[in-house]
Amino acid sequence: MPLTLLGRQNPLASSDEQLKVLMDTVGCPSFERRLEQAGLFPLHATGITILQINVGKLCNQTCRHCHVDAGPDRTEIMSDEIADLCLAALTKTDIPTIDITGGAPELNPNFRRLVERARTLGRHVIDRCNLSVLLLPSQADLAEFLASHRVEIIASLPAYRASQTDAQRGHGNFEKSIEALTRLNKLGYGRPESGLALNLVYNPVGAFLPPKQEALEAQFRKELRTRYDIEFNHLYTVTNMPISRFLEFLIESGNYDAYMERLATAFNPAAVAGVMCRSMISVGWDGTLYDCDFNQMLTLPVKEGMPRHIRDFDPTRLSTRRIVTGNHCYGCTAGAGSSCGGAVMTATPTQ
């Protein structure tokens, strides 16, 4: 039985249904109202330093928290044509970073072509990796490919213990993650002198905010080094967004209202300055343009009047666009905010 919302025909598979839940939230003001109170409305982009490309929803895992609702049963995948348009847009700009995500982005037939072409253009490339994909027979040379093109890896690892990781990502996933990290370390990833960046991403297993990033990074470093002789460069904390499968968890566990109130109470105006949407543009698997990957999953494209497809990409207009916001945006502005490596989500220091 498929575990994705779509595969189970769950009503929350519809972005309209998710938006209805978010808009009907009680116990906290609308996100736009909170921005107004802080003198930050409307929110505008400050440029485009990252072209984030979501190549589809196909994944070899079905994680409990996934905001993409990705899984093995998802068929949405970026075509050759859309990949070509992304590369054409990149060629015409000086955007320094391409951030490839999914699903498991490496499963897209265009993944390696996107990496190779971007590197030829002298751009920094980020791969949002779930780690277990490196162990698939079809991806036997993937780790070496990433290293040879000096791709930065940002890898999800919810915990340094098997029980917590497997609770969120599926039975046996922690062991696979450790094996993949060991393989990457052997290639030089995570070693300061190699220049091969290996950064981890932590998000809470339950309905609470992540702890302070610096302290958690130190704890992860100590535990992974002591237990498994694993090294990494940085650890970034991410607040679970109240959308898709995590939204389902919140509702089913009776935690939705309390979680939203917790996010709203922790709203930090200082964190708004560095939210990722202000410095990036997100391209969907079908070429639609969004302010961020979260808006993409809620089917909230860039504001009307802006170019809305990669074929019409206009960096001048898009770099100062007004950002589309909603109550889910509390997730990026609570407390110290969420940081996710190259796509900076808040003012919290990252790489």
Side-chain angles (χ1 to χ4, degrees), residues 171-183:
H171 178 70
N173 189 273
F174 180 77
E175 183 178 348
K176 293 177 183 178
S177 297
I178 294 301
E179 183 179 346
L181 288 170
T182 300
R183 182 179 298 184

Side-chain angles (χ1 to χ4, degrees), residues 3-16:
L3 296 178
T4 61
L5 296 174
L6 185 66
R8 290 183 277 117
Q9 298 183 326
N10 188 299
L12 288 175
S14 164
S15 58
D16 287 341

Side-chain angles (χ1 to χ4, degrees), residues 180-201:
L181 288 170
T182 300
R183 182 179 298 184
L184 291 171
N185 274 180
K186 288 180 178 179
L187 291 171
Y189 270 104
R191 313 289 185 184
E193 69 281 359
S194 72
L196 295 173
L198 172 60
N199 298 314
L200 304 182
V201 174

Side-chain angles (χ1 to χ4, degrees), residues 25-31 34 257 260-261 264-265 327 330:
T25 302
V26 297
C28 65
S30 71
F31 185 76
R34 185 56 62 87
D257 290 330
M260 292 302 296
E261 184 176 355
T265 300
N327 284 346
Y330 275 121

Side-chain angles (χ1 to χ4, degrees), residues 142 165 260 282 304 334 340 342:
L142 176 58
T165 296
M260 292 302 296
S282 178
E304 189 174 355
C340 202

Side-chain angles (χ1 to χ4, degrees), residues 283-301:
V283 187
W285 66 273
D286 61 355
T288 303
L289 298 179
Y290 301 86
D291 294 310
C292 69
D293 199 51
F294 303 126
N295 278 10
Q296 182 178 151
M297 297 312 137
L298 290 172
T299 322
L300 295 172

